[in-house]
Amino acid sequence: MTKPERLASDKTYSSGVICRALHRRGIQPAIPTKRNECTEPTFDRTAYRECNRVERLIGRLKQFRRIATRYKKRAANHLAMITVAAILLWL
C-alpha cells in the first residue's frame, strides 16, 4: 500500500488534531486555516490550487451520465469513457 505525500482538503478539516495526525504519518497537509485559527506556516498554496482544478474537472465530467453513475463496471471500460469525455470537453 502506498502513502500519499500530501493531502489537500478544505477549511473544515484544518483542526490541529488532523494536521498533527497527518504530520505523524509523514503526510504534508495542504489545508487552509480558518479566519479564527493561527495560520499554518507550511501551507502549500499551489498544491491546494491543484486540488481545486481536479475538483472542477470531476464536476465537468459528471455531466456525462455514463461516468457519473458508472454503468461500466470494469476499470478499463470506465477509463475509456473518461478518456472520451475528456476529449469531448477539450474539443
Side-chain angles (χ1 to χ4, degrees):
M1 187 170 154
T2 60
K3 179 179 72 168
E5 293 178 17
R6 183 178 299 131
L7 177 92
S9 183
D10 56 359
K11 293 180 181 185
T12 308
Y13 301 100
S14 67
S15 73
V17 176
I18 293 173
C19 289
R20 283 190 298 275
L22 290 172
H23 281 295
R24 274 195 311 268
R25 289 172 176 80
I27 302 170
Q28 178 67 34
I31 304 171
T33 54
K34 297 177 189 172
R35 285 186 206 165
N36 61 353
E37 292 179 336
C38 297
T39 57
E40 180 78 23
T42 60
F43 174 63
D44 189 2
R45 188 172 298 277
T46 35
Y48 185 70
R49 286 184 178 163
E50 287 297 317
C51 176
N52 184 10
R53 292 177 71 188
V54 170
E55 287 177 1
R56 286 192 318 230
L57 173 65
I58 290 171
R60 291 188 69 191
L61 285 173
K62 283 185 178 180
Q63 74 183 355
F64 296 94
R65 187 175 182 189
R66 186 173 278 186
I67 294 171
T69 56
R70 192 157 184 202
Y71 287 133
K72 302 288 184 190
K73 298 299 180 192
R74 297 191 63 193
N77 294 342
H78 191 65
L79 179 61
M81 291 310 302
I82 290 175
T83 305
V84 169
I87 290 170
L88 289 174
L89 287 174
W90 183 68
L91 292 175

